[in-house]
Amino acid sequence: MKILITGGTGFIGKELQKQLKESGHEVVILSRRGGDFLWNPGKGEMDRRALEGVDAIIHLAGAGIAEKRWTDSRKEELIQSRVQSSQILYQALKQHSHQVKTLVSASGIGYYGADTGEKLCEENSEPGHDFIASCTQAWESSLQGIEGLGIRVVKFRIGLVMGNGGGIFPVLQKPIRWFVGANIGTGKQWQSWIHLQDLISMFQWALQEKSMKGVYNAVAPEPLRQSDLNKQLARAMHRPLFLPAVPAFVLRLVLGEMALLVTGGNLVSSNRIQKEAGFSFRFVRFSEALKDLIP
């Protein structure tokens, strides 16, 4: 297939385009800078040539959720970067001839809220009511127009992505490596994660499996509590984990509302992607992922 990736210059996008090319696909990148084609969703600008000959779109575009403190203006930027990019894709697909049959979009488990406690979150669970949930809901809703064009749309609510070279994993490693690792808050909050290689395979699976449609949780079958995650990570890195937990209020003072990203947690089910879509995980347990990430 010829596949267009929006925002494909980040941590996930780089690995995704590499493996798609290795699988024999032609890949083109639509980005604000450094891609094959340029766009500026905020100004409604897009090089329409980007859609020529494209069979499928993988939609990753959106400002980084944890890159800056959540001021009111940053919140607006986070939402609009997702909504506007979907809207400009919709207009391009609606107004110009194309052969796109499938769109696979990133989303996030933040849809359920930053902290859902002991509740098991499935794809039909109620959305949350905090900012991260509102942002994710707006992101998913912005794709309804594309669905209305008869294009098959798959949305992945992605958990914590574990991979070297970017994302959350190096951030988790750093304090433990320097002997200052500690649990955050109670340490009992659930962490629903996925190995980068399984996520890449999931995107490829969605391109091939024509029966897939709608929302799927992109998380490994074995979520674990933050204290267990830290314990396993410290053991794999041959480091002690002895410092007292960092109180949640300290992080709120430092990070503001964005502290919810680390003080909260979600217990998320992977049943639908496994049972309905037939996807098989390579890394089911966190210990298996660590053996790959820390050889």
Side-chain angles (χ1 to χ4, degrees), residues 8-183:
T9 58
F11 165 57
I12 296 172
K14 287 179 179 178
E15 183 65 20
L16 181 57
Q17 62 175 296
K18 172 179 170 288
Q19 294 199 30
L20 286 171
K21 289 177 180 178
E22 288 174 354
S23 298
H25 301 293
E26 179 183 355
V27 178
V28 291
I29 305 299
L30 181 62
S31 178
R32 288 176 176 270
R33 63 186 72 86
D36 300 291
F37 299 97
L38 299 178
W39 70 345
N40 187 330
K43 294 183 178 179
E45 299 172 351
M46 173 181 166
D47 189 336
R48 299 298 194 261
R49 295 175 300 171
L51 291 175
E52 292 179 1
V54 169
D55 301 295
I57 299 172
I58 295 179
H59 187 31
L60 303 178
I65 203 78
E67 289 178 1
K68 299 179 183 177
R69 194 180 179 96
W70 289 352
T71 61
D72 288 344
S73 60
R74 179 59 175 174
K75 286 182 177 181
E76 183 66 17
E77 180 184 1
L78 289 169
I79 293 174
Q80 290 305 316
S81 67
R82 287 156 172 77
V83 171
Q84 290 172 346
S85 61
S86 298
Q87 289 175 338
I88 195 172
L89 277 179
Y90 166 69
Q91 292 298 330
L93 291 165
K94 181 181 178 182
Q95 296 172 5
H96 300 272
S97 60
H98 63 84
Q99 63 187 49
V100 176
K101 299 293 190 297
T102 301
L103 183 142
V104 184
S105 177
S107 180
I109 59 174
Y111 175 92
Y112 307 111
D115 189 359
T116 49
E118 298 298 309
K119 174 186 174 183
L120 179 64
C121 299
E122 299 178 307
E123 287 82 356
N124 59 359
S125 295
E126 290 294 317
H129 302 287
D130 52 27
F131 167 69
I132 191 67
S134 299
C135 180
T136 312
Q137 290 168 56
W139 195 1
E140 292 187 7
S141 297
S142 67
L143 297 169
Q144 290 177 352
I146 296 175
E147 291 175 304
L149 298 176
I151 293 172
R152 181 174 66 93
V153 174
V154 177
K155 307 168 195 174
F156 284 134
R157 290 179 185 156
I158 303 171
L160 299 173
V161 181
M162 301 294 172
N164 289 315
I168 191 67
F169 189 66
V171 177
L172 295 173
Q173 282 184 290
K174 192 172 183 179
I176 293 175
R177 178 179 293 113
W178 292 103
F179 299 93
V180 290
N183 293 327

Side-chain angles (χ1 to χ4, degrees), residues 111-278:
Y111 175 92
Y112 307 111
D115 189 359
T116 49
E118 298 298 309
K119 174 186 174 183
L120 179 64
C121 299
E122 299 178 307
E123 287 82 356
N124 59 359
S125 295
E126 290 294 317
H129 302 287
D130 52 27
F131 167 69
I132 191 67
S134 299
C135 180
T136 312
Q137 290 168 56
W139 195 1
E140 292 187 7
S141 297
S142 67
L143 297 169
Q144 290 177 352
I146 296 175
E147 291 175 304
L149 298 176
I151 293 172
R152 181 174 66 93
V153 174
V154 177
K155 307 168 195 174
F156 284 134
R157 290 179 185 156
I158 303 171
L160 299 173
V161 181
M162 301 294 172
N164 289 315
I168 191 67
F169 189 66
V171 177
L172 295 173
Q173 282 184 290
K174 192 172 183 179
I176 293 175
R177 178 179 293 113
W178 292 103
F179 299 93
V180 290
N183 293 327
I184 295 172
T186 66
K188 294 181 180 179
Q189 57 269 48
W190 286 102
Q191 309 284 269
S192 293
W193 59 277
I194 185 170
H195 192 293
L196 176 62
Q197 295 306 317
D198 276 330
L199 181 60
I200 299 303
S201 297
M202 201 174 282
F203 274 104
Q204 296 199 62
W205 191 257
L207 292 174
Q208 299 163 2
E209 292 296 313
K210 308 303 182 187
S211 62
M212 288 182 67
K213 188 177 182 181
V215 176
Y216 297 84
N217 290 328
V219 295
E222 186 204 56
L224 68 169
R225 297 189 188 274
Q226 189 202 73
S227 58
D228 292 333
L229 184 149
N230 279 336
K231 189 183 300 181
Q232 290 190 38
L233 183 55
R235 187 184 304 122
M237 295 176 66
H238 307 290
R239 294 288 193 274
L241 192 68
F242 58 86
L243 292 180
V246 180
F249 79 87
V250 173
L251 288 165
R252 285 194 291 270
L253 288 174
V254 175
L255 300 174
E257 189 179 354
M258 194 171 71
L260 281 170
L261 292 176
V262 288
T263 60
N266 308 93
L267 177 61
V268 181
S269 169
S270 63
N271 281 346
R272 187 178 188 219
I273 190 74
Q274 292 178 279
K275 294 181 179 179
E276 293 186 26

